[in-house]
Amino acid sequence: MILRRPVFWLILIFAALMAFIPFHANDVSMREDLILVAIAVILASNLNLMIGYTGYVNFGHIVFYGLGGYVGLYLATVRNWNLVPASLAAGVVVSLFALMLGMGILRLRGAYFALATIGVLLAVQSFVANFDPWGRSTGLYVDFSAYERLGGARHALWMTYFLVIGVMALSMILSLGIKISKFGLGLFAIREDEDAAVVLGVNTTVFKAIIYSVSAFLPAVAGALMFYKNGMIDPSIAFEFMLSLEGIVMLMLGGKGTVVGAALGGGLYEKLRSYLLTSPKLSNFQLVIAGGLLLLVVLFAPGGLIGWLYRLVPRARKVIE
Amino acid sequence: MTPLLEVSGVSKRFGGLLAVSDVSFSLGEREILGLIGPNGAGKTTLFNVVNGVYKGDKGTVKFAGEDITKCSPNQVVHLGLARTHQIVKPLQDMTVLENVTVGACFGREYLALKPARKVALEVLERVGLAKSAEMSARSLTIAGKKRLEVARALAARPKLLLLDEVLAGLNPTEITHMIGIVRDIRDSGISVFMIEHVMQAIMSLSDRIVVLSFGQKLAEGRPEEVARDPQVIEAYLGDPDIAEKLKENN
Amino acid sequence: MSGILASMIDGLLIGSVYGLAAMGLSLIWGVMDVINLTHGSVIALGMFGMYILFAAFPVNAYFLLLPILVAGLLLGLVIYWISVHWVIGRSQLSSLLSTFAVNMMIIGIGTAIWSTSPYNVNFTLRGFTVGAYTFTGNHIAAATAAVIIALALELFLYRTRPGKAIRAVADNREAAELMGISSTMVLALAFAIGIALAASSGALVSTLFPFTILSGAGYQMKSFVVTVLAGLGKPLGALAAGVLLGLLEGAVTPFIAVSWIPLIEFGLFVVVLVAFPKGIFTRATA
Amino acid sequence: MKRLVLPIFLVVALFVTTGFAQNLTLGFTASNTGAMNVDSLEQKRGFELWRDQVNAAGGIKAGGKSYKVQFVSYDDESNPKRVQQLYSRLILQDKADFLFSPYSSSLTATAAIVTEQYEKIMLTTGAAEGKTYTLGNHYLFQMFTPGAEYLKGVLDMLKTKDPKAAIAFVYEDASFSVSVVNPAKEYAQKLGFNVAFSEAYAPNTTDFSAIIDKVIASKSTILLGGGHYADGSTLAKQLYEHKVQLKMITLLVAPDSDKWTELGDAAVGVIVPSQWEPQSAFKPQYGPSGADFAKAYTAKFNAPPSYESAGGYASGLILQRAIEQAGSTDSAKVAAALNATDITTFYGRSKFATEANQHGLQVGHAMVLAQWQKDKSGKLVKQVVWPLAAKSANLVYPIH
């Protein structure tokens, strides 16, 4: 049972604190920092379902986030839907898209799959940039009046923040739930040896398609919320290849395949980046520092922070999942 | 009574090479059927066609009365046909227990996680790996990995087990142990279809033996009949060692 | 002269430069099973290499390819040692990430030095004009240079001992080691050559278009497309696939808006990947 | 001891004066890195020159106090996601009193959402697109003439030279250029021109051969379009190399930069719709003259000002005047002063729309057209050719 896992409660406490502290202090600046941290955690956690659990490197994971943003913003601004149903609809639509896409490209393995995901990302970006209902490369804008419906801009932003924190908590709980489930066991088998998994009875085709689709859902919801908060979306920010790659960096940093590692990596990386970007001396070198850090992790600590913790304190494996 | 496994007229071609050519045989309940033949005879390919890793070009495979010719390997497992690999495929970074739990979870009974773990522990006990349950599969010895292969397949609660050279690479003590395990499996009511190069073992274990050479079925019958078959002995001439052993068995 | 023909000739010329860029990626991928994500930033370094050299020695820019090739080899050895050497034999993800990390560092350092402003190599060869259409001398020279380098590589791989060693290692690393070929040396050499090819293609591009430190990314993507079309480890195949891609772009553009090209190109890329995972030019074997 | 008196006096004086002068914090982000790097830098220099001059003159004097201007600025990487985070930070952490916009329409649109939420005034410069002002904001004030106006002058001018010309629109597929070209296409058709070809290209395009082949095939003689510096300069260079027989080339933004001369012969004859040119001799009611501004700018940065620089400086100037008029730094009072602003500076006239459906849109400023021409010594110079009243040279038409 998931309720018996200490990590489950840790996630809830962590999310509650993240929601409560900036609200209590009415610290909007902290909120803006934390919402980016939450987004990073969402992206890294869901990416972990593919890379960490199933062993499929998805370079184009951001495509779900961006498409979710587009579907959500389109429904919320052009079709005048409320934010919550629009975001959920974005999640559903994008998951279905992923399911169909997955049937095709999940026949590929290893690096070929990774490359195909880059192709998908660029093809989708190009399509959206030519798609009239979504404003081509100019994108979609949120009318200020949309905030009025949610009780004014300030209120709307707090609401989006809580929703994003909610999605973050769900992402981590989803990761945990899958990890301790039979479904998760099947995914791990695929990660370790796909051929062996089939022979052991795992329906790998279905499992892969499902997890690909599942890993699309929450990022799409988060994308809808985040771009609504941003007030606009265009193809270059929705489908940022760099962000897709940074998701992988976050995962490696924290430790792929672990619930806490993905979250930790996402949070830390975003914090580091924010710090470097606003530090006058280091801002020119933020890429160098982030790259160097990644290189060190890949070369010397492939298990990431959590892997390092496991080696240091083997018993941690039981608690920190 | 209908046989458990019925292979009729199966062929498999890779490019210009006919790996398996028009092979037919059947296997009954509680039977141990051996499959022997020189290297490259197409034994593993035949296994792969039987459990659906490859689709045969011709012929049919029936299992427990159902036509499984077009089934994928995972469907075949659900029907009760499990197998091991000649080159072991442990799920390296998972524990031994998890490896076997995978087998139980997605096997014939498609168990939930908790009962699957129970079955896995039982099976580990049976193959003598209980002590290593929490070790990672990577850290097992080759003998341990062979046993893990068997345990995973067993955990699927199969009606028929395909064993692909489970004795290869083991020392005499380990061989004896493994032979015990195979007997035990048969005694528990599971049929076994096994490929083996260790002649003494397969001769003593099998109820019947099928011999493949260049993809074709050369002979089929009780071990002593097969061993006497001049065609079989000739097929093994390229391998005088085994030919010698065959004769010894007579 | 019809627009389509002109457009296809333009495509052919630029396609051979795509091909040269892809050869580097394909060689490294084929020989050592490493997908080199520093490819794009090395192409950009090649551009800036040409810029710096041309500023110092304003001779015919195409003579400067030679020092860039040499510098590329050295750079390749450095990158190999930093990012690849330690992860040979580990999962593909490791080398993917380690080269990506180095890519970030190169881009970061490059941005600190050159910012992301566009730079130009101000060197123009006279082109030739047919009717209303003019084909620039630079395009023709760059395409010629790309073909010459590709042929030189082919000769190297098939006619010299180190070249044969590279092919042997690509075929079967263990067997090659048994035959006394030091695979580390060979891998380092192959990687260095791959990097030198990428740098030289960047240098060629710099004579055609303005560039920034970020410009390599687009050519990296094209290299992926070309490599997948060509199959791995086949330098001349990559050149042919590059030309094919250029021709395709040239043939399609008169009929649709240019902004649709990436969709067609990357859509095609994904479809080809799924349908022919081993490349179109390689016959599928079971 | 005597030697110490002067330093001590100076330190004390410094303390005393700074005690009287309060600080006014102005926040903005600039694209120190990223795609907009070139364009953004010139705008930032305009801000900086204004700040230095204001502070040298003792700061902004309002309501009996004087305020020293200090900047807080970050690198936004030309990335809208960063822009929002950084503007929140500017407002909440750095307690910026007023804000300037980032460079480019799309970044400004994102920043505007944050500044509007906190009721902070933001002067937008380097952001010509008009759509942002129809979204219902109260604290946004645009310094640039809106995008729809950019190419009108060119078409009017062309009408006098070649009323039946075939025009090709080739433009960057981005907020700003789309907001410029769409109305321009309509206007061209209204004037009776033949729009023979129209196509947008991706923002990061470097190879224009495909589009150029299509322009040739369309038999157009006029090319209008472009986007920002990187793509515009490349397009011009390749048009030249492909020897396309065009009678007129007008590109957005890019040709205004001093760096344009690096294109050599390819630069000749290209026209740019400009918010301001050093030759524009407006009679300032407030602030320095155009010549003084240009001189100070060139002295400080060793390069002549572009219209982005002028826009940056003018933003400061207009804000400064509004604060002085309001006699306070209170947002609501300064906003009221800005609403009432209708003044001519070296940069020309500035007036903001006050209607709710387009609040803050620039309605006072007019654009000029500048063309790169060779002077007698063969040196490339940028001449104002339109409107005729402000011209510093005659239009060269056709180019070849």
Side-chain angles (χ1 to χ4, degrees), chain C residues 195-217:
Chain C
I195 292 290
L197 289 171
S200 62
S201 70
L204 289 179
V205 170
S206 74
T207 64
L208 306 177
F209 314 121
F211 49 90
T212 72
I213 187 71
L214 306 173
S215 293

Side-chain angles (χ1 to χ4, degrees), chain D residues 183-200:
Chain D
K185 258 189 268 184
E186 278 176 32
Y187 190 63
Q189 271 150 355
K190 214 177 89 189
L191 291 181
F193 289 111
N194 166 23
V195 177
F197 177 70
S198 170
E199 194 167 315

